[in-house]
């Protein structure tokens, strides 16, 4: 195990299951959650044409064990694509809370989205 060595990384990608293609241009925010759910913003990125961020959200010494929350701006994405949504949209921002226990591992947290549903898992 590489716990505590800071050799791992955190990545994400978004798949638009409604369109059957990558979710391009989605703003992704990463917060570290401290005691009492106090948030510290640690990264912000936008997905590229492949639905991925151009670089890991955290890597090396910046990847610390703890609790995190990724927030994806899916409402703005669907609005920009011209998808008819309710007002307000059923899904606007999708938060995913997860924990990193071993900073030496690769944590991949993908998001599969449609205007009315989403799914995630720990990928590789």
């Amino acid at each position: 195990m590489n716990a505590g060595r800071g050799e791992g990384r955190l990545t994400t990608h978004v798949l638009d299951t409604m369109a059957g293609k990558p979710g391009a241009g989605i703003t992704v925010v990463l917060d570290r959650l401290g005691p009492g759910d106090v948030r510290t913003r640690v990264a912000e990125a936008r997905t590229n044409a492949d639905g991925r961020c151009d670089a890991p959200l955290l890597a090396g010494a910046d990847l610390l064990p703890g609790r995190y929350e990724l927030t994806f701006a899916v409402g703005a994405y669907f609005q920009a694509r011209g998808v008819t949504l309710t007002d307000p949209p059923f899904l606007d921002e999708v938060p995913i809370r997860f924990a990193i226990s071993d900073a030496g591992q690769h944590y991949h947290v993908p998001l599969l989205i449609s205007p009315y549903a989403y799914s995630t898992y720990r990928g590789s």
Side-chain angles (χ1 to χ4, degrees), residues 3-4 8 13 35 45 49 59 63 67 70-75 77 84 94 96 99 101 105 108 113 116 121:
H13 76 272
L63 183 69
R67 295 181 320 119
L70 277 168
T71 304
F72 299 83
V74 302
Y77 164 77
T84 301
V94 172
I96 301 173
S101 59
Q105 291 188 20
H108 184 68
I113 56 166
Y116 296 96
Y121 55 93

Side-chain angles (χ1 to χ4, degrees), residues 51-84:
R52 299 177 183 276
C53 298
D54 289 330
L57 294 167
L58 287 177
D62 293 330
L63 183 69
L64 301 172
R67 295 181 320 119
Y68 293 84
E69 184 172 284
L70 277 168
T71 304
F72 299 83
V74 302
Y77 164 77
F78 285 117
Q79 287 173 343
R81 286 195 51 241
V83 174
T84 301

Side-chain angles (χ1 to χ4, degrees), residues 103-123:
Q105 291 188 20
H106 178 194
Y107 288 80
H108 184 68
V109 184
L111 179 67
L112 288 70
I113 56 166
S114 80
Y116 296 96
Y118 67 92
S119 176
T120 190
Y121 55 93
R122 181 173 176 194

Side-chain angles (χ1 to χ4, degrees), residues 20-76:
K21 64 180 190 177
I26 297 175
T27 299
V28 180
V29 172
L30 176 66
D31 292 323
R32 183 175 289 122
L33 302 176
D37 288 340
V38 173
R39 295 171 179 271
T40 302
R41 178 77 32 97
V42 292
E44 186 169 339
R46 205 164 169 86
T47 57
N48 60 24
D50 195 33
R52 299 177 183 276
C53 298
D54 289 330
L57 294 167
L58 287 177
D62 293 330
L63 183 69
L64 301 172
R67 295 181 320 119
Y68 293 84
E69 184 172 284
L70 277 168
T71 304
F72 299 83
V74 302

